[in-house]
Amino acid sequence: MNVWFRAIISLVSSCLLLLVGTNNAFGQKVYDLHLLISDSLTNTPLYGATITLYKHNHLHIADEQGRVYIDSVPAGKALLHVTYVGYHHHDLLLDMPQNGTVEVLLCPESFHLHESVISAEGNVFAFSARRRDLMNAEEIQRKQGQNVSDLLKSMNGVTAMTSAGGIAKPVVRGLSGMRLVTLQGNSRMDGQQWGNDHGPELDPFQTNGIVLIKGAAAVEYGPEAIGGVIQIMPKPYLTEEGLKGSIQAQGQSDSKQAASSLLLEGRKGIEKFVAWRAQASGRIAGDAHAPNYNLSNSGFRENAQSLSVLLGGKHWAWENSLTRYASVLGIFAGAHVGNMQDLNTAIAAPQPLIIRPFTYQIGKPYQEVQHILFSSELKWQLNAKSKLRFLFTQQVNRRKEYDAEMVYNQALRGLPAMDMEIQSFSTEQYYEQKLAHHWSYKLGATQTLQRNAVAGLNFIIPAFNSLSAGAFGLLKKEWLHANISFGIRCDVRQLDVPTYKRLNKNYEYSRFFFGTNAGLTYNYDFGKKWVASASVQTGWRPPAVNELYSYGLHYGLASFEIGDSLLQPERSVQLEINMSKQLNNWHFSGSFFRQKFSGFIYRNPLSDPILTIRGAFPAFIFTQADALLTGTEFSLSYAPKLAWQWQSRFSYLRANNIGLNQPLFGMPANRMDHTLGYIFADFAKLMGAYIECQSVWVARQNRFVANLDYVDPPPAYVLFHANIGTSFKPFKKGEPWKLHLSAQNLFNNSYRDYQSRFRYFTDDPGFNFIFRLQIPF
Amino acid sequence: MKKHNISNIFFLLAIASLFIFNACKKQEDDHANQDHDNELITTVRFQFVDSISLDTFRYAWSQPGGPGSAVSIDTIALKANRVYLATVDLLDESKNPIVSVSEEIAADANNHRFVYTTTLAGTQIQILDFDQQVPAMELGLKFRLIVANSGSGNFTCSLRHYTNLDPKTGGIIAGSNDIEVSLPLAIN
């Protein structure tokens, strides 16, 4: 873990360098720093603990007495990162010069009950530590957009599937929806993820850290984690007594969007304690604007509240939290088509057929979504080597979609076209233990009950009940320069669709699924800051309800979708290799992956359109074929002591349907981005001021099947963004305020992204100025 | 201080519980599938009255099983050099008794418009009814079909549907299609 963790440190160090603005001008005074690293419980010195000083990019190792001596540390703030195998890492911000020796206490992984995990490390047990990418709180504040997918997009290999306006779904290495698991804290979010226009129900303001779990670490999360796990981390609780809070405000020019959030948190007691956190936020956005016209009815509104309370004692911690997210999202008016002929007319037009003046009003069609999640988690330390964790999660997701269609029957007017409510209850149990010689293991079991109810005028999926249960075991062995982990998990799922009537015929289904997934990861540190890891894992996913039982028209994109109730689970085998190297101020990291699916479920077009009273519609049937996804991602950064910074990233994906020997539909195009930044020395009241310019190049998706889609993929495009930000103290007392300004699509270029669902009808949004202010108190 | 803090928590919890119970109230108790007794249009029926003989002809396009099921399409057989008074009716034949939505369309005439086209040369269509707008625009539940030549071709009927935000005054390109059916035409 230590090894990989160092890789992560170096990976994010370039970002952190941008964040921690400190004095680093030449000719500055330098000081010595003495540290003592020891175990927080026994005070035993930790021989071999590693200390990274971000500004230096130098690694230091503690001696037998746990002592470390670092020379020539410049005056001002110094950020240290201390790690040791089997212990939680510790970040520490020191004001230089420091007198005497600074004591650093590390908590053993197996003992300390962490109330909440900080983004950097992820889960306490960190099974394989095969974390590909992560974002910390600072980075999130700088990059916060209108939804969580905006944040995720800034990770290499992650893109977003958008639907003009507020809807964006994350896509990780070409996989999305039912192939990704989203965790809010430790609770798995269950909604209607199968819909391409169903974004995750998450408030960006409640996001304090994002961890993307790929590779063998995802084994723990069961069937749907076949494409990875996105973990949204909440803000950690206060560690000191008191009452604190912050106000965040955000504005965006493109959709004349305003958002704000209020956070209050408090803590009473240190050994035995009550800590709590309450947050409320709201957001209102009008129509988005493409460079040449307004995107009518793309406005949205959302509000979210959350409350978490943590009760803790010496050997236990009990957390209860409740979050609610509600939104109303307009569906772009220009995309509404009644049949194939309307669709062809709309596609042939150079701009949307419906362009109305800007408004905050949301008309039909629109979506109304509410997600409420309650979780209760108990962590219990049995002894120094073992602990138990129980988690109960209950959630309800209500989604109503209103069509622009007007019905003729007066009694049915005003009803949503689609109305679904999914309730999920899940219980999870975990036990972890540390053994001698750096062996450790973790056992767990999960049980989930889901009930989906449908109402509304049309329905795409039927009501269903599903009961799932799974059990897993993880085993890990650590050496000084390497570690190996192995995990295996088995799941069963019973899916029942009670009798329903579709067009005067009764249908009833019952399916049982069983599957196993396993993963093996090996990390090795070659020394000289060469770190590499390799992992092999298998995954599976039972077909989703829409893939099994859809039958009907989707007016939004004028298509007729037909499910296949006999689909079998899809399975995959994946190999991934990662490496990173740090040389002075240069940092390089690269990863390569290859994922082979057997029975990959996808929408296959039928040769003849389906004739209906509305006219002819192209028809698609869900079917299975073998598929192969191969890709690579690279990043190279230069983060010297001097204030200029540089980062370049590149990602490539090739996805093939092996059965038909043709490219898979809708896969993200290759892309690269370059960022040039400058960090200013502190002056007057400004701290950590930075400025950066970024260019993003997205290639044309040249891998497509001719005449399969309504139009060919749009051309490549380049966008330029600029960011500037600083912390400042408007008052002598209190914490510094943070201000971040961004300009996106600086030159107001017109472009269409291949993953925008409305690219058939409209350009993507143009120039956007974003203002973000955080006021802690 | 401690007391104060804890009472704060309970207050917040109380507020939070409102959300949960609110949410529960909205839930439907039975999680079975509701019987989807929803609106469906299965049939477009045309009636042509010969202006000389006063003979009545009825032809229909129908898909009684709903979208995706079998379709039955009549051939419109009429005589050349005649004028026909025609009406159109939209029906849901999956219900018993059969439901007609033509009255609803007449009631919401300002948001609907039938558009008829034929591929047979020398055939003319005149719309006979109008909506309540000023100036009035065509509705098309009633129309006159003037047939000059004999021959065969296609007769297409589409129903455009408009909303307040996407009004009828925007012309045929505005709105969206509720109905689009095509029937073969045989004139002798």
Side-chain angles (χ1 to χ4, degrees):
Chain A
M1 194 189 79
N2 193 16
V3 174
W4 176 250
F5 195 63
R6 283 199 332 237
I8 291 189
I9 296 167
S10 26
L11 193 78
V12 294
S13 63
S14 51
C15 309
L16 282 166
L17 265 172
L18 294 168
L19 302 173
V20 186
T22 52
N23 277 316
N24 55 6
F26 268 143
Q28 207 170 19
K29 263 197 130 173
V30 291
Y31 300 92
D32 293 349
L33 176 61
H34 294 270
L35 297 166
L36 174 64
I37 322 289
S38 46
D39 183 307
S40 63
L41 297 165
T42 59
N43 278 326
T44 333
L46 297 177
Y47 172 37
T50 55
I51 298 91
T52 322
L53 182 59
Y54 281 125
K55 277 288 143 182
H56 273 194
N57 283 326
H58 284 168
L59 199 71
H60 304 268
I61 311 277
D63 64 10
E64 282 104 325
Q65 279 82 45
R67 294 188 178 276
V68 182
Y69 162 66
I70 307 172
D71 61 357
S72 47
V73 182
K77 289 196 166 58
L79 181 63
L80 294 172
H81 189 88
V82 187
T83 57
Y84 187 62
V85 177
Y87 286 77
H88 291 289
H89 77 277
H90 190 61
D91 281 322
L92 160 96
L93 193 60
L94 295 176
D95 272 318
M96 291 304 291
Q98 288 279 336
N99 296 326
T101 302
V102 179
E103 246 189 88
V104 182
L105 301 174
L106 291 187
C107 313
E109 268 182 2
S110 63
F111 194 82
H112 194 85
L113 286 170
H114 266 240
E115 297 135 27
S116 183
V117 240
I118 301 155
S119 62
E121 267 270 57
N123 279 344
V124 173
F125 190 80
F127 157 47
S128 71
R130 270 273 317 101
R131 305 252 129 91
R132 204 169 57 82
D133 215 343
L134 55 94
M135 280 181 98
N136 60 20
E138 283 283 347
E139 212 175 334
I140 282 169
Q141 266 172 21
R142 281 157 43 117
K143 292 182 176 164
Q144 205 163 59
Q146 58 188 17
N147 51 44
V148 173
S149 302
D150 273 0
L151 285 170
L152 282 159
K153 250 189 346 194
S154 56
M155 292 177 168
N156 209 3
V158 183
T159 55
M161 193 191 299
T162 58
S163 305
I167 305 169
K169 263 180 109 69
V171 180
V172 177
R173 290 176 170 175
L175 303 177
S176 68
M178 298 303 282
R179 293 191 179 96
L180 286 179
V181 167
T182 309
L183 300 172
Q184 189 171 13
N186 289 327
S187 306
R188 185 183 168 132
M189 302 267 302
D190 281 310
Q192 309 281 3
Q193 295 100 315
W194 52 268
N196 280 344
D197 57 344
H198 302 169
E201 290 87 1
L202 291 163
D203 174 16
F205 284 121
Q206 281 175 22
T207 307
N208 193 65
I210 296 178
V211 185
L212 186 62
I213 304 169
K214 287 283 302 175
V219 166
E220 185 183 330
Y221 301 96
E224 270 85 18
I226 198 163
V229 179
I230 294 166
Q231 190 172 23
I232 306 294
M233 301 301 222
K235 192 168 187 298
Y237 292 96
L238 291 183
T239 49
E240 291 161 3
E241 285 200 329
L243 181 70
K244 280 181 135 181
S246 75
I247 292 173
Q248 288 192 61
Q250 200 192 94
Q252 299 200 21
S253 70
D254 179 59
S255 53
K256 299 192 175 61
Q257 184 173 143
S260 65
S261 158
L262 171 69
L263 168 79
L264 289 173
E265 52 187 344
R267 181 180 176 120
K268 183 76 190 157
I270 294 292
E271 275 274 285
K272 275 192 172 177
F273 61 91
V274 183
W276 58 274
R277 186 178 61 230
Q279 184 160 29
S281 61
R283 182 179 300 267
I284 179 162
D287 293 337
H289 200 275
N292 302 317
Y293 43 81
N294 208 33
L295 304 179
S296 295
N297 205 40
S298 61
F300 64 98
R301 264 169 249 152
E302 68 181 28
N303 68 81
Q305 299 81 29
S306 78
L307 176 71
S308 309
V309 180
L310 176 78
L311 301 171
K314 204 171 175 188
H315 297 297
W316 58 277
W318 183 35
E319 184 185 23
N320 284 289
S321 79
L322 181 66
T323 60
R324 173 185 176 274
Y325 169 90
S327 66
V328 179
L329 303 126
I331 307 290
F332 172 55
H336 182 75
V337 288
N339 67 3
M340 204 53 212
Q341 190 197 319
D342 288 350
L343 180 73
N344 289 333
T345 318
I347 289 173
Q351 59 179 42
L353 294 176
I354 301 172
I355 298 175
R356 297 191 291 258
F358 173 86
T359 174
Y360 281 103
Q361 275 178 3
I362 297 169
K364 286 182 177 178
Y366 66 88
Q367 303 179 353
E368 202 180 287
V369 188
Q370 173 169 266
H371 193 104
I372 297 173
L373 187 148
F374 168 75
S375 70
S376 183
E377 187 174 19
L378 178 69
K379 296 172 188 171
W380 186 18
Q381 190 75 48
L382 298 172
N383 53 49
K385 300 263 179 203
S386 58
K387 68 178 187 178
L388 272 170
R389 183 162 73 87
F390 298 100
L391 174 67
F392 168 75
T393 306
Q394 179 179 356
Q395 51 193 314
V396 53
N397 180 294
R398 178 84 181 249
R399 168 175 287 274
K400 295 185 202 172
E401 298 191 1
Y402 293 84
D403 242 340
E405 299 308 322
M406 229 169 354
V407 291
Y408 297 108
N409 186 342
Q410 299 281 356
L412 300 176
R413 289 221 174 131
L415 291 179
M418 198 154 68
D419 185 355
M420 298 175 286
E421 184 177 84
I422 186 160
Q423 287 199 67
S424 311
F425 306 85
S426 72
T427 48
E428 300 172 27
Q429 307 81 32
Y430 301 94
Y431 175 74
E432 14 186 300
Q433 190 175 18
K434 256 187 137 55
L435 305 169
H437 309 294
H438 295 288
W439 283 93
S440 53
Y441 70 91
K442 181 179 184 178
L443 298 173
T446 63
Q447 305 81 35
T448 306
L449 172 68
Q450 278 196 345
R451 312 183 79 191
N452 186 47
V454 297
L457 302 178
N458 306 313
F459 68 124
I460 293 163
I461 60 162
F464 64 86
N465 297 322
S466 114
L467 186 64
S468 315
F472 69 89
L474 310 172
L475 184 66
K476 183 175 179 182
K477 162 78 179 167
E478 285 170 292
W479 296 272
L480 195 58
H481 292 292
N483 65 63
I484 189 163
S485 11
F486 173 73
I488 185 162
R489 179 175 167 127
C490 293
D491 285 88
V492 289
R493 180 172 297 172
Q494 174 68 39
L495 176 70
D496 288 306
V497 177
T499 313
Y500 66 97
K501 200 162 117 184
R502 183 174 264 162
L503 307 171
N504 295 325
K505 234 177 153 182
N506 284 335
Y507 297 90
E508 187 182 345
Y509 298 100
S510 180
R511 289 289 301 267
F512 177 78
F513 302 106
F514 170 78
T516 304
N517 54 338
L520 180 71
T521 295
Y522 183 69
N523 293 318
Y524 193 78
D525 185 347
F526 292 97
K528 294 186 178 169
K529 296 187 178 173
W530 260 113
V531 186
S533 79
S535 81
V536 185
Q537 88 257 12
T538 64
W540 75 291
R541 179 182 75 92
V545 173
N546 69 313
E547 293 160 343
L548 291 165
Y549 309 120
S550 283
Y551 191 85
L553 278 177
H554 284 236
Y555 297 121
L557 272 183
S559 66
F560 196 98
E561 283 190 2
I562 303 169
D564 177 353
S565 68
L566 300 174
L567 289 176
Q568 292 301 313
E570 62 182 28
R571 290 173 202 280
S572 87
V573 184
Q574 186 177 6
L575 170 74
E576 183 170 350
I577 293 165
N578 293 273
M579 62 187 74
S580 73
K581 163 77 179 164
Q582 175 124 18
L583 186 67
N584 300 327
N585 296 317
W586 290 90
H587 179 263
F588 165 82
S589 78
S591 58
F592 167 83
F593 69 94
R594 199 169 169 92
Q595 188 166 18
K596 178 162 190 302
F597 280 88
S598 47
F600 185 83
I601 300 171
Y602 69 104
R603 269 170 32 135
N604 191 34
L606 291 181
S607 54
D608 291 323
I610 280 202
L611 194 61
T612 76
I613 204 157
R614 285 172 175 269
F617 287 89
F620 297 88
I621 190 157
F622 284 99
T623 185
Q624 295 185 283
D626 290 355
L628 182 65
L629 277 71
T630 310
T632 181
E633 287 131 23
F634 291 103
S635 91
L636 181 66
S637 62
Y638 179 63
K641 280 185 207 169
L642 278 170
W644 288 103
Q645 314 286 323
W646 177 267
Q647 188 185 39
S648 288
R649 300 187 306 172
F650 168 76
S651 74
Y652 170 87
L653 175 70
R654 182 186 170 94
N656 249 7
N657 180 332
I658 309 174
L660 298 177
N661 193 23
Q662 64 185 31
L664 279 178
F665 175 76
M667 286 289 154
N670 303 325
R671 61 199 64 214
M672 65 177 169
D673 62 71
H674 308 282
T675 311
L676 175 68
Y678 189 90
I679 301 173
F680 298 92
D682 293 358
F683 58 90
K685 286 180 173 176
L686 298 183
M687 289 156 289
Y690 67 90
I691 182 164
E692 62 182 32
C693 294
Q694 190 182 31
S695 80
V696 179
W697 172 79
V698 178
R700 177 168 188 262
Q701 179 54 282
N702 284 319
R703 307 196 74 253
F704 66 99
V705 183
N707 304 323
L708 182 78
D709 200 356
Y710 304 125
V711 286
D712 286 348
Y717 63 85
V718 182
L719 297 181
F720 294 91
H721 310 305
N723 305 306
I724 181 165
T726 184
S727 296
F728 61 101
K729 270 192 160 178
F731 307 106
K732 276 199 172 159
K733 282 184 180 177
E735 292 190 47
W737 295 18
K738 285 170 189 155
L739 177 69
H740 303 284
L741 306 175
S742 300
Q744 292 178 333
N745 194 355
L746 267 178
F747 304 111
N748 205 20
N749 290 341
S750 293
Y751 71 100
R752 292 184 183 199
D753 188 84
Y754 184 51
Q755 284 183 292
S756 163
R757 290 182 60 249
F758 295 149
R759 70 190 154 86
Y760 307 114
F761 314 110
T762 177
D763 291 344
D764 275 288
F767 175 80
N768 187 19
F769 176 76
I770 308 178
F771 156 93
R772 309 172 189 89
L773 178 66
Q774 192 198 19
I775 307 170
F777 56 85
Chain B
M1 177 61 196
K2 186 174 184 174
K3 248 189 181 172
H4 182 68
N5 222 338
I6 287 181
S7 66
N8 262 348
I9 293 165
F10 283 112
F11 175 68
L12 287 167
L13 271 177
I15 291 180
S17 66
L18 287 179
F19 293 125
I20 280 205
F21 295 123
N22 247 333
C24 293
K25 234 186 269 170
K26 280 188 202 157
Q27 288 163 201
E28 272 89 57
D29 287 316
D30 90 273
H31 274 255
N33 286 287
Q34 78 166 49
D35 189 3
H36 286 265
D37 193 18
N38 289 327
E39 185 167 88
L40 180 69
I41 299 171
T42 62
T43 308
V44 184
R45 187 173 293 284
F46 300 96
Q47 178 180 291
F48 296 93
V49 178
D50 186 316
S51 64
I52 295 172
S53 67
L54 299 182
D55 286 345
T56 301
F57 303 91
R58 290 195 179 87
Y59 301 108
W61 189 107
S62 77
Q63 193 172 32
S69 65
V71 180
S72 123
I73 305 172
D74 294 340
T75 297
I76 300 177
L78 298 171
K79 292 204 169 79
N81 301 314
R82 294 289 170 91
V83 174
Y84 294 91
L85 278 176
T87 54
V88 63
D89 202 0
L90 303 187
L91 305 169
D92 179 2
E93 292 184 331
S94 71
K95 305 280 190 308
N96 193 11
I98 291 169
V99 179
S100 164
V101 298
S102 299
E103 273 176 39
E104 268 93 17
I105 292 173
D108 194 20
N110 292 355
N111 285 320
H112 290 91
R113 181 173 183 172
F114 284 92
V115 181
Y116 302 98
T117 52
T118 74
T119 56
L120 183 63
T123 311
Q124 290 176 48
I125 287 150
Q126 294 171 354
I127 302 292
L128 300 177
D129 55 349
F130 295 87
D131 61 16
Q132 291 92 38
Q133 299 188 85
V134 183
M137 294 183 76
E138 292 178 348
L139 174 58
L141 280 166
K142 294 192 179 95
F143 59 97
R144 185 183 285 132
L145 181 71
I146 303 162
V147 188
N149 307 329
S150 59
S152 60
N154 273 316
F155 174 79
T156 304
C157 160
S158 61
L159 171 60
R160 303 294 295 177
H161 184 167
Y162 306 90
T163 61
N164 292 340
L165 290 171
D166 187 13
K168 195 171 176 178
T169 47
I172 287 175
I173 201 159
S176 61
N177 261 334
D178 266 8
I179 300 288
E180 189 184 82
V181 294
S182 192
L183 292 82
L185 193 60
I187 308 293
N188 48 42

